[in-house]
Amino acid sequence: MILVPIVARTVTEAKRQLASAKKAGADGVEIRLDAFEHVTSDDVLEMVKNSRLPVLATCRTKNEGGFTRKTSDERKKLLLAAIQAKAAMVDVELSSPPAFRNAVKAACRKNKCRLVVSKHDFDRTPEPKTLNQWVKEALKAGDIAKIVCLAHHTVDLLRLLDLVKHGNGNVVAFAMGEQNKQSRVLSLLYGAPFGFAALHRESAPGQIPLKQMRLALEATKEWVA
């Protein structure tokens, strides 16, 4: 599944991007709730309910790459609204307080929404022991583990892809940055449940345009068959 990030400052702009994602043939969308300058729970309910594609709702903290600073209460209200509106998935950080994660998890269970628990390292790719521990903790807290790190060497890429390879379809892992964009393609080929491709504005450096992502997947799928 290829998700197109919806990164908009206004609800009106987000609605335009949602329509464009459908026309472009995306499999789903990630609505970055942290990108809005102002958004209410009612806005989220409307956007998710009216989306013609499956929605992953994310309200990233500033410390892990969020666009704007929102309080913990604000983030929780927006995510709970997305769950209530039948989002397919929501994303919370592994670093979130347990009470925050548990509240979101309880709502997910009630509404049959999958919980993605994510971890980002903007400086390096840790040793396998640390990476595996992150995956273990994320899968204990939720349904899907998402691990994204900065890779400096080929061995870093291989460590991240190894998480996907042994993740039984429940692990998303790739390297951030323009120089590591190939890992986004390989992550999907190794069995990640979803990946990201850009349609309008990137939500992270290194995202490949949707059309190019599909071409790359088709051209390289025999490599890992």
Side-chain angles (χ1 to χ4, degrees), residues 33 40-46 48-49 57 75-87 90 107:
L33 300 173
T40 66
S41 295
D42 286 342
D43 291 330
V44 176
L45 282 165
E46 181 185 0
V48 175
K49 283 183 176 179
R75 291 174 54 241
K76 183 165 68 173
K77 286 179 181 177
L78 296 177
L79 290 173
L80 292 179
I83 296 168
Q84 182 183 344
K86 304 303 180 185
V90 296

